[in-house]
Amino acid sequence: MGASDDSDRTWKHYVCGSAASVINILVTFPIQKVMFRQQLHGFSATQSLLQLKGEGRHLLYRGVLPPLMQRITTIGLMFGLYEEFSRPMLKYTQDTQIPEQLTRSAAAFMAGTSEAVMVPFERVQTLLQDHKHHARFKSTSHAFKTLLRDYGVKECYRGLTPVLFRNGPCSMLYFGLRGPLKELLPEAQTQQGHLLNDFVSGALMGGGISTLFYPMNVVKSRAQSQVGGEFVGFPRLLHTVLKERNWSLFHLYRGGGLNVLRSVTSWGIITATYEFLMKSWVQSSKEPKK
């Protein structure tokens, strides 16, 4: 019975995480698309907006399906796998000298790293958002078919290394800071207050963590904008990007402002929605059945 209850609770984490990601993507995708153009081409925000305006409104949400599918899966995996990994690990280490925070950090790292299996969706999203590939790739399914037919599975995982460097540490920081940050906020007395605290704590974490790891996304975008050819290693690719940006940290962080805006909004929405859905689910399960 205990194992069944644990399995049921874990399943809820997957579902609530996935549901939160849907709301997040639909709200933040246009911001992400402007930021992507800045990452890839070193454009200013104005230049990126003008390029998107020239392409027309009908293409604004072009490329939304891959991140929607990817985030539904990865955010669900992030919350669900964190619970899957942390529970048995905490039981195993409860009578040892291993600090609980270290155990939870290891579980978060494993959960974040596991998300990298969904890299092909980020890969296709990059191709669909890059104006250079508009004529070649018509849709999500067409892009997948073309990559698999012409280049094989390996091509779908181009850019995997910066994703691995990003996901594991980001998950560790997110789950490690989530509780302590919320405790620093004024104590909430109402449901709306709890929702606001969850949004603020998620927003602060998202803005800080995404800014810290923003260069990883720049390198990833650069790698995934290429189709075919040599698979360039991470150090060499980072060197190329820095050289193209005149060795300027400021230019490397082109799009960083929008990245903060997107991440603050995105992780605020994800955290608040996830916590709200989990609490609502728990409360409904406690209500006596008629």
Side-chain angles (χ1 to χ4, degrees):
M1 184 68 178
S4 177
D5 288 343
D6 282 351
S7 177
D8 182 57
R9 285 196 296 268
T10 302
W11 179 71
K12 292 176 181 178
H13 289 281
Y14 285 108
V15 174
C16 291
S18 296
S21 70
V22 174
I23 299 171
N24 158 54
I25 285 294
L26 294 178
V27 172
T28 62
F29 183 76
I31 301 173
Q32 194 276 334
K33 196 162 188 177
V34 174
M35 183 186 70
F36 167 78
R37 299 292 174 91
Q38 291 186 273
Q39 289 177 344
L40 186 59
H41 304 299
F43 286 170
S44 66
T46 302
Q47 288 173 313
S48 299
L49 284 168
L50 288 173
Q51 189 179 65
L52 290 173
K53 182 179 179 182
E55 293 169 6
R57 292 181 183 178
H58 65 290
L59 290 178
L60 180 61
Y61 272 86
R62 174 184 162 89
V64 73
L65 187 58
L68 187 61
M69 295 170 66
Q70 184 242 351
R71 296 297 275 178
I72 286 174
T73 308
T74 57
I75 298 299
L77 284 174
M78 186 184 81
F79 285 107
L81 288 177
Y82 174 69
E83 291 297 319
E84 293 267 22
F85 292 142
S86 62
R87 286 185 182 183
M89 291 172 69
L90 287 170
K91 288 180 182 178
Y92 182 77
T93 59
Q94 63 183 352
D95 295 325
T96 69
Q97 299 298 316
I98 300 175
E100 179 181 334
Q101 191 60 39
L102 181 60
T103 303
R104 290 189 176 277
S105 294
F109 183 85
M110 291 167 62
T113 303
S114 299
E115 294 174 46
V117 71
M118 303 307 295
V119 162
F121 287 106
E122 288 192 63
R123 174 80 171 104
V124 170
Q125 177 190 354
T126 298
L127 295 176
L128 292 177
Q129 289 183 1
D130 188 353
H131 72 285
K132 293 185 300 183
H133 298 298
H134 279 183
R136 184 175 184 184
F137 300 109
K138 308 299 182 183
S139 64
T140 300
S141 60
H142 180 254
F144 271 121
K145 288 177 182 177
T146 302
L147 290 177
L148 289 170
R149 182 190 66 225
D150 297 345
Y151 303 99
V153 174
K154 184 179 179 181
E155 185 67 31
C156 294
Y157 281 88
R158 188 182 288 272
L160 175 63
T161 302
V163 171
L164 288 172
F165 286 165
R166 177 196 68 190
N167 283 14
C170 284
S171 292
M172 286 177 64
L173 289 171
Y174 177 81
F175 286 109
L177 295 174
R178 187 170 56 161
L181 259 180
K182 192 174 179 181
E183 289 177 3
L184 294 175
L185 299 174
E187 185 176 355
Q189 304 295 331
T190 64
Q191 186 181 58
Q192 290 80 5
H194 283 292
L195 199 64
L196 179 61
N197 279 359
D198 289 327
F199 181 88
V200 171
S201 63
L204 290 173
M205 286 186 294
I209 295 170
S210 67
T211 299
L212 182 63
F213 287 90
Y214 184 75
M216 296 297 170
N217 283 330
V218 175
V219 175
K220 178 192 73 72
S221 296
R222 182 68 166 74
Q224 293 183 338
S225 66
Q226 178 183 338
V227 179
E230 180 186 2
F231 279 75
V232 180
F234 179 80
R236 186 173 147 201
L237 197 56
L238 177 60
H239 180 273
T240 300
V241 171
L242 286 170
K243 188 176 181 180
E244 289 176 348
R245 307 292 170 91
N246 297 316
W247 305 99
S248 167
L249 191 62
F250 176 78
H251 289 158
L252 180 64
Y253 269 84
R254 271 277 174 89
L258 278 177
N259 175 66
V260 172
L261 174 62
R262 181 190 65 84
S263 297
V264 163
T265 307
S266 176
W267 284 103
I269 290 172
I270 288 172
T271 304
T273 306
Y274 168 80
E275 295 290 352
F276 173 77
L277 291 174
M278 282 299 301
K279 289 171 186 174
S280 300
W281 206 329
V282 170
Q283 288 174 0
S284 65
S285 65
K286 289 181 178 178
E287 292 177 359
K289 296 181 180 179
K290 296 182 180 180

